[in-house]
mmCIF file of all heavy atoms in Angstrom:
data_model
loop_
_atom_site.group_PDB
_atom_site.id
_atom_site.type_symbol
_atom_site.label_atom_id
_atom_site.label_comp_id
_atom_site.label_asym_id
_atom_site.label_seq_id
_atom_site.Cartn_x
_atom_site.Cartn_y
_atom_site.Cartn_z
ATOM 1 N N CYS A 774 -33.506 21.468 36.190
ATOM 2 C CA CYS A 774 -32.658 21.248 37.357
ATOM 3 C C CYS A 774 -32.593 19.758 37.635
ATOM 4 O O CYS A 774 -33.551 19.034 37.363
ATOM 5 C CB CYS A 774 -33.250 21.997 38.546
ATOM 6 S SG CYS A 774 -32.300 21.832 40.065
ATOM 7 N N ILE A 775 -31.485 19.288 38.205
ATOM 8 C CA ILE A 775 -31.420 17.864 38.544
ATOM 9 C C ILE A 775 -32.192 17.558 39.829
ATOM 10 O O ILE A 775 -32.483 16.396 40.115
ATOM 11 C CB ILE A 775 -29.968 17.352 38.662
ATOM 12 C CG1 ILE A 775 -29.229 18.005 39.831
ATOM 13 C CG2 ILE A 775 -29.220 17.561 37.354
ATOM 14 C CD1 ILE A 775 -27.903 17.332 40.150
ATOM 15 N N GLY A 776 -32.539 18.585 40.587
ATOM 16 C CA GLY A 776 -33.332 18.414 41.802
ATOM 17 C C GLY A 776 -34.287 19.582 41.943
ATOM 18 O O GLY A 776 -34.998 19.933 41.001
ATOM 19 N N ASP A 777 -34.312 20.217 43.117
ATOM 20 C CA ASP A 777 -35.049 21.467 43.305
ATOM 21 C C ASP A 777 -34.147 22.625 42.885
ATOM 22 O O ASP A 777 -32.913 22.516 42.890
ATOM 23 C CB ASP A 777 -35.441 21.637 44.774
ATOM 24 C CG ASP A 777 -36.686 20.845 45.133
ATOM 25 O OD1 ASP A 777 -37.179 20.093 44.274
ATOM 26 O OD2 ASP A 777 -37.162 20.975 46.281
ATOM 27 N N TRP A 778 -34.758 23.754 42.564
ATOM 28 C CA TRP A 778 -33.954 24.917 42.197
ATOM 29 C C TRP A 778 -33.050 25.329 43.350
ATOM 30 O O TRP A 778 -31.855 25.565 43.166
ATOM 31 C CB TRP A 778 -34.860 26.080 41.791
ATOM 32 C CG TRP A 778 -35.573 25.867 40.497
ATOM 33 C CD1 TRP A 778 -36.924 25.745 40.299
ATOM 34 C CD2 TRP A 778 -34.993 25.741 39.189
ATOM 35 N NE1 TRP A 778 -37.212 25.554 38.966
ATOM 36 C CE2 TRP A 778 -36.045 25.544 38.264
ATOM 37 C CE3 TRP A 778 -33.683 25.775 38.715
ATOM 38 C CZ2 TRP A 778 -35.817 25.397 36.893
ATOM 39 C CZ3 TRP A 778 -33.458 25.617 37.356
ATOM 40 C CH2 TRP A 778 -34.516 25.437 36.464
ATOM 41 N N HIS A 779 -33.621 25.463 44.530
ATOM 42 C CA HIS A 779 -32.818 25.698 45.730
ATOM 43 C C HIS A 779 -32.513 24.349 46.379
ATOM 44 O O HIS A 779 -33.367 23.464 46.402
ATOM 45 C CB HIS A 779 -33.570 26.593 46.724
ATOM 46 C CG HIS A 779 -33.761 27.999 46.267
ATOM 47 N ND1 HIS A 779 -34.942 28.451 45.730
ATOM 48 C CD2 HIS A 779 -32.919 29.052 46.264
ATOM 49 C CE1 HIS A 779 -34.827 29.734 45.423
ATOM 50 N NE2 HIS A 779 -33.607 30.119 45.729
ATOM 51 N N TYR A 780 -31.320 24.226 46.919
ATOM 52 C CA TYR A 780 -30.879 22.937 47.438
ATOM 53 C C TYR A 780 -31.877 22.367 48.445
ATOM 54 O O TYR A 780 -32.362 23.072 49.331
ATOM 55 C CB TYR A 780 -29.503 23.068 48.103
ATOM 56 C CG TYR A 780 -28.909 21.725 48.444
ATOM 57 C CD1 TYR A 780 -28.153 21.018 47.515
ATOM 58 C CD2 TYR A 780 -29.145 21.134 49.687
ATOM 59 C CE1 TYR A 780 -27.632 19.770 47.818
ATOM 60 C CE2 TYR A 780 -28.627 19.885 49.994
ATOM 61 C CZ TYR A 780 -27.876 19.206 49.057
ATOM 62 O OH TYR A 780 -27.371 17.956 49.357
ATOM 63 N N ASN A 781 -32.162 21.074 48.290
ATOM 64 C CA ASN A 781 -33.124 20.392 49.150
ATOM 65 C C ASN A 781 -32.511 19.080 49.629
ATOM 66 O O ASN A 781 -32.302 18.167 48.834
ATOM 67 C CB ASN A 781 -34.422 20.123 48.371
ATOM 68 C CG ASN A 781 -35.536 19.605 49.261
ATOM 69 O OD1 ASN A 781 -35.304 19.181 50.394
ATOM 70 N ND2 ASN A 781 -36.758 19.634 48.756
ATOM 71 N N ARG A 782 -32.215 19.010 50.900
ATOM 72 C CA ARG A 782 -31.585 17.803 51.453
ATOM 73 C C ARG A 782 -32.484 16.577 51.310
ATOM 74 O O ARG A 782 -31.994 15.447 51.218
ATOM 75 C CB ARG A 782 -31.253 18.024 52.937
ATOM 76 C CG ARG A 782 -30.373 16.931 53.549
ATOM 77 C CD ARG A 782 -28.989 16.938 52.926
ATOM 78 N NE ARG A 782 -28.128 15.900 53.490
ATOM 79 C CZ ARG A 782 -26.858 15.713 53.148
ATOM 80 N NH1 ARG A 782 -26.311 16.502 52.233
ATOM 81 N NH2 ARG A 782 -26.144 14.764 53.710
ATOM 82 N N ASP A 783 -33.775 16.781 51.277
ATOM 83 C CA ASP A 783 -34.708 15.671 51.120
ATOM 84 C C ASP A 783 -34.521 14.986 49.761
ATOM 85 O O ASP A 783 -34.667 13.769 49.653
ATOM 86 C CB ASP A 783 -36.149 16.178 51.262
ATOM 87 C CG ASP A 783 -37.161 15.051 51.342
ATOM 88 O OD1 ASP A 783 -37.075 14.257 52.288
ATOM 89 O OD2 ASP A 783 -38.026 14.978 50.460
ATOM 90 N N VAL A 784 -34.206 15.760 48.730
ATOM 91 C CA VAL A 784 -33.939 15.185 47.412
ATOM 92 C C VAL A 784 -32.714 14.287 47.481
ATOM 93 O O VAL A 784 -32.689 13.189 46.913
ATOM 94 C CB VAL A 784 -33.743 16.296 46.361
ATOM 95 C CG1 VAL A 784 -33.319 15.712 45.016
ATOM 96 C CG2 VAL A 784 -35.026 17.106 46.199
ATOM 97 N N TYR A 785 -31.703 14.731 48.182
ATOM 98 C CA TYR A 785 -30.492 13.924 48.380
ATOM 99 C C TYR A 785 -30.807 12.649 49.156
ATOM 100 O O TYR A 785 -30.447 11.543 48.743
ATOM 101 C CB TYR A 785 -29.453 14.755 49.128
ATOM 102 C CG TYR A 785 -28.242 13.985 49.586
ATOM 103 C CD1 TYR A 785 -27.118 13.873 48.773
ATOM 104 C CD2 TYR A 785 -28.208 13.375 50.846
ATOM 105 C CE1 TYR A 785 -25.998 13.158 49.189
ATOM 106 C CE2 TYR A 785 -27.103 12.660 51.275
ATOM 107 C CZ TYR A 785 -25.996 12.552 50.434
ATOM 108 O OH TYR A 785 -24.898 11.838 50.865
ATOM 109 N N ASP A 786 -31.493 12.801 50.283
ATOM 110 C CA ASP A 786 -31.758 11.647 51.158
ATOM 111 C C ASP A 786 -32.595 10.578 50.462
ATOM 112 O O ASP A 786 -32.420 9.377 50.715
ATOM 113 C CB ASP A 786 -32.480 12.112 52.430
ATOM 114 C CG ASP A 786 -31.581 12.931 53.349
ATOM 115 O OD1 ASP A 786 -30.342 12.802 53.239
ATOM 116 O OD2 ASP A 786 -32.119 13.708 54.158
ATOM 117 N N LYS A 787 -33.509 10.995 49.585
ATOM 118 C CA LYS A 787 -34.419 10.050 48.929
ATOM 119 C C LYS A 787 -33.995 9.704 47.495
ATOM 120 O O LYS A 787 -34.778 9.114 46.751
ATOM 121 C CB LYS A 787 -35.839 10.624 48.945
ATOM 122 C CG LYS A 787 -36.397 10.757 50.362
ATOM 123 C CD LYS A 787 -37.802 11.347 50.375
ATOM 124 C CE LYS A 787 -38.325 11.463 51.802
ATOM 125 N NZ LYS A 787 -39.668 12.105 51.857
ATOM 126 N N ASP A 788 -32.766 10.068 47.144
ATOM 127 C CA ASP A 788 -32.213 9.728 45.826
ATOM 128 C C ASP A 788 -33.133 10.175 44.684
ATOM 129 O O ASP A 788 -33.436 9.404 43.772
ATOM 130 C CB ASP A 788 -31.941 8.218 45.724
ATOM 131 C CG ASP A 788 -30.778 7.780 46.599
ATOM 132 O OD1 ASP A 788 -29.788 8.538 46.691
ATOM 133 O OD2 ASP A 788 -30.857 6.702 47.189
ATOM 134 N N ARG A 789 -33.558 11.419 44.718
ATOM 135 C CA ARG A 789 -34.487 11.919 43.715
ATOM 136 C C ARG A 789 -33.834 12.828 42.674
ATOM 137 O O ARG A 789 -34.525 13.526 41.935
ATOM 138 C CB ARG A 789 -35.658 12.653 44.393
ATOM 139 C CG ARG A 789 -36.576 11.719 45.188
ATOM 140 C CD ARG A 789 -37.895 12.379 45.547
ATOM 141 N NE ARG A 789 -37.757 13.417 46.563
ATOM 142 C CZ ARG A 789 -37.931 14.715 46.352
ATOM 143 N NH1 ARG A 789 -38.257 15.162 45.152
ATOM 144 N NH2 ARG A 789 -37.787 15.588 47.329
ATOM 145 N N TYR A 790 -32.506 12.827 42.604
ATOM 146 C CA TYR A 790 -31.865 13.594 41.546
ATOM 147 C C TYR A 790 -32.135 12.953 40.188
ATOM 148 O O TYR A 790 -32.224 11.732 40.072
ATOM 149 C CB TYR A 790 -30.352 13.656 41.744
ATOM 150 C CG TYR A 790 -29.896 14.546 42.873
ATOM 151 C CD1 TYR A 790 -29.041 14.079 43.867
ATOM 152 C CD2 TYR A 790 -30.302 15.879 42.940
ATOM 153 C CE1 TYR A 790 -28.607 14.890 44.901
ATOM 154 C CE2 TYR A 790 -29.882 16.705 43.972
ATOM 155 C CZ TYR A 790 -29.036 16.202 44.949
ATOM 156 O OH TYR A 790 -28.624 17.027 45.970
ATOM 157 N N LYS A 791 -32.253 13.808 39.153
ATOM 158 C CA LYS A 791 -32.268 13.273 37.797
ATOM 159 C C LYS A 791 -30.959 12.523 37.558
ATOM 160 O O LYS A 791 -29.894 12.912 38.051
ATOM 161 C CB LYS A 791 -32.377 14.402 36.772
ATOM 162 C CG LYS A 791 -33.743 15.050 36.644
ATOM 163 C CD LYS A 791 -33.721 16.037 35.481
ATOM 164 C CE LYS A 791 -35.099 16.631 35.194
ATOM 165 N NZ LYS A 791 -35.454 17.692 36.149
ATOM 166 N N THR A 792 -31.010 11.473 36.771
ATOM 167 C CA THR A 792 -29.806 10.743 36.408
ATOM 168 C C THR A 792 -29.095 11.449 35.262
ATOM 169 O O THR A 792 -29.693 12.266 34.545
ATOM 170 C CB THR A 792 -30.144 9.308 35.980
ATOM 171 O OG1 THR A 792 -30.953 9.364 34.793
ATOM 172 C CG2 THR A 792 -30.895 8.562 37.077
ATOM 173 N N ALA A 793 -27.840 11.094 35.069
ATOM 174 C CA ALA A 793 -27.106 11.627 33.919
ATOM 175 C C ALA A 793 -27.793 11.226 32.622
ATOM 176 O O ALA A 793 -27.835 12.008 31.662
ATOM 177 C CB ALA A 793 -25.662 11.130 33.950
ATOM 178 N N LYS A 794 -28.355 10.032 32.586
ATOM 179 C CA LYS A 794 -29.057 9.569 31.389
ATOM 180 C C LYS A 794 -30.242 10.463 31.077
ATOM 181 O O LYS A 794 -30.453 10.846 29.910
ATOM 182 C CB LYS A 794 -29.523 8.125 31.589
ATOM 183 C CG LYS A 794 -30.253 7.520 30.397
ATOM 184 C CD LYS A 794 -30.603 6.052 30.651
ATOM 185 C CE LYS A 794 -31.287 5.430 29.447
ATOM 186 N NZ LYS A 794 -31.557 3.975 29.671
ATOM 187 N N THR A 795 -31.013 10.830 32.080
ATOM 188 C CA THR A 795 -32.160 11.722 31.877
ATOM 189 C C THR A 795 -31.699 13.078 31.354
ATOM 190 O O THR A 795 -32.323 13.664 30.456
ATOM 191 C CB THR A 795 -32.944 11.886 33.182
ATOM 192 O OG1 THR A 795 -33.474 10.618 33.573
ATOM 193 C CG2 THR A 795 -34.088 12.877 33.022
ATOM 194 N N VAL A 796 -30.611 13.610 31.914
ATOM 195 C CA VAL A 796 -30.094 14.901 31.467
ATOM 196 C C VAL A 796 -29.659 14.827 30.007
ATOM 197 O O VAL A 796 -29.981 15.711 29.203
ATOM 198 C CB VAL A 796 -28.930 15.358 32.359
ATOM 199 C CG1 VAL A 796 -28.270 16.613 31.781
ATOM 200 C CG2 VAL A 796 -29.412 15.625 33.782
ATOM 201 N N VAL A 797 -28.935 13.774 29.648
ATOM 202 C CA VAL A 797 -28.476 13.621 28.267
ATOM 203 C C VAL A 797 -29.659 13.504 27.319
ATOM 204 O O VAL A 797 -29.681 14.119 26.243
ATOM 205 C CB VAL A 797 -27.537 12.409 28.130
ATOM 206 C CG1 VAL A 797 -27.273 12.089 26.658
ATOM 207 C CG2 VAL A 797 -26.224 12.676 28.851
ATOM 208 N N HIS A 798 -30.668 12.730 27.705
ATOM 209 C CA HIS A 798 -31.857 12.604 26.866
ATOM 210 C C HIS A 798 -32.535 13.957 26.669
ATOM 211 O O HIS A 798 -32.990 14.287 25.561
ATOM 212 C CB HIS A 798 -32.838 11.617 27.491
ATOM 213 C CG HIS A 798 -32.472 10.191 27.274
ATOM 214 N ND1 HIS A 798 -33.205 9.138 27.772
ATOM 215 C CD2 HIS A 798 -31.431 9.620 26.602
ATOM 216 C CE1 HIS A 798 -32.652 8.000 27.419
ATOM 217 N NE2 HIS A 798 -31.571 8.270 26.706
ATOM 218 N N THR A 799 -32.619 14.752 27.723
ATOM 219 C CA THR A 799 -33.208 16.087 27.605
ATOM 220 C C THR A 799 -32.387 16.950 26.658
ATOM 221 O O THR A 799 -32.934 17.632 25.781
ATOM 222 C CB THR A 799 -33.296 16.757 28.980
ATOM 223 O OG1 THR A 799 -34.102 15.956 29.858
ATOM 224 C CG2 THR A 799 -33.911 18.151 28.878
ATOM 225 N N LEU A 800 -31.074 16.919 26.827
ATOM 226 C CA LEU A 800 -30.196 17.705 25.967
ATOM 227 C C LEU A 800 -30.366 17.317 24.500
ATOM 228 O O LEU A 800 -30.547 18.179 23.631
ATOM 229 C CB LEU A 800 -28.741 17.506 26.404
ATOM 230 C CG LEU A 800 -27.669 18.152 25.527
ATOM 231 C CD1 LEU A 800 -27.803 19.672 25.534
ATOM 232 C CD2 LEU A 800 -26.276 17.733 26.000
ATOM 233 N N VAL A 801 -30.325 16.034 24.216
ATOM 234 C CA VAL A 801 -30.437 15.562 22.833
ATOM 235 C C VAL A 801 -31.789 15.953 22.237
ATOM 236 O O VAL A 801 -31.873 16.440 21.107
ATOM 237 C CB VAL A 801 -30.229 14.036 22.767
ATOM 238 C CG1 VAL A 801 -30.585 13.494 21.387
ATOM 239 C CG2 VAL A 801 -28.793 13.675 23.123
ATOM 240 N N ASP A 802 -32.854 15.751 22.997
ATOM 241 C CA ASP A 802 -34.189 16.076 22.511
ATOM 242 C C ASP A 802 -34.335 17.561 22.219
ATOM 243 O O ASP A 802 -34.863 17.963 21.175
ATOM 244 C CB ASP A 802 -35.228 15.629 23.545
ATOM 245 C CG ASP A 802 -36.651 15.885 23.095
ATOM 246 O OD1 ASP A 802 -37.065 15.308 22.078
ATOM 247 O OD2 ASP A 802 -37.343 16.683 23.755
ATOM 248 N N VAL A 803 -33.861 18.394 23.116
ATOM 249 C CA VAL A 803 -33.976 19.844 22.951
ATOM 250 C C VAL A 803 -33.143 20.325 21.766
ATOM 251 O O VAL A 803 -33.597 21.143 20.960
ATOM 252 C CB VAL A 803 -33.563 20.552 24.262
ATOM 253 C CG1 VAL A 803 -33.380 22.043 24.043
ATOM 254 C CG2 VAL A 803 -34.609 20.308 25.345
ATOM 255 N N VAL A 804 -31.923 19.816 21.650
ATOM 256 C CA VAL A 804 -31.048 20.230 20.556
ATOM 257 C C VAL A 804 -31.649 19.841 19.201
ATOM 258 O O VAL A 804 -31.560 20.589 18.225
ATOM 259 C CB VAL A 804 -29.635 19.635 20.736
ATOM 260 C CG1 VAL A 804 -28.791 19.820 19.476
ATOM 261 C CG2 VAL A 804 -28.946 20.285 21.927
#
């Protein structure tokens, strides 16, 4: 998940989402 499984406003407020770069790296590594 890019944040918590269930929506968490605290993740939004504190800019704690995974970046697109992190997601792409995960995708490439897993594939």
Side-chain angles (χ1 to χ4, degrees):
C774 181
I775 65 169
D777 279 5
W778 290 115
H779 292 100
Y780 190 87
N781 189 345
R782 190 66 180 182
D783 190 62
V784 174
Y785 171 90
D786 290 338
K787 295 179 180 177
D788 290 322
R789 292 195 289 112
Y790 287 127
K791 285 186 174 78
T792 64
K794 181 176 182 177
T795 297
V796 172
V797 169
H798 282 179
T799 301
L800 174 64
V801 170
D802 182 62
V803 168
V804 169

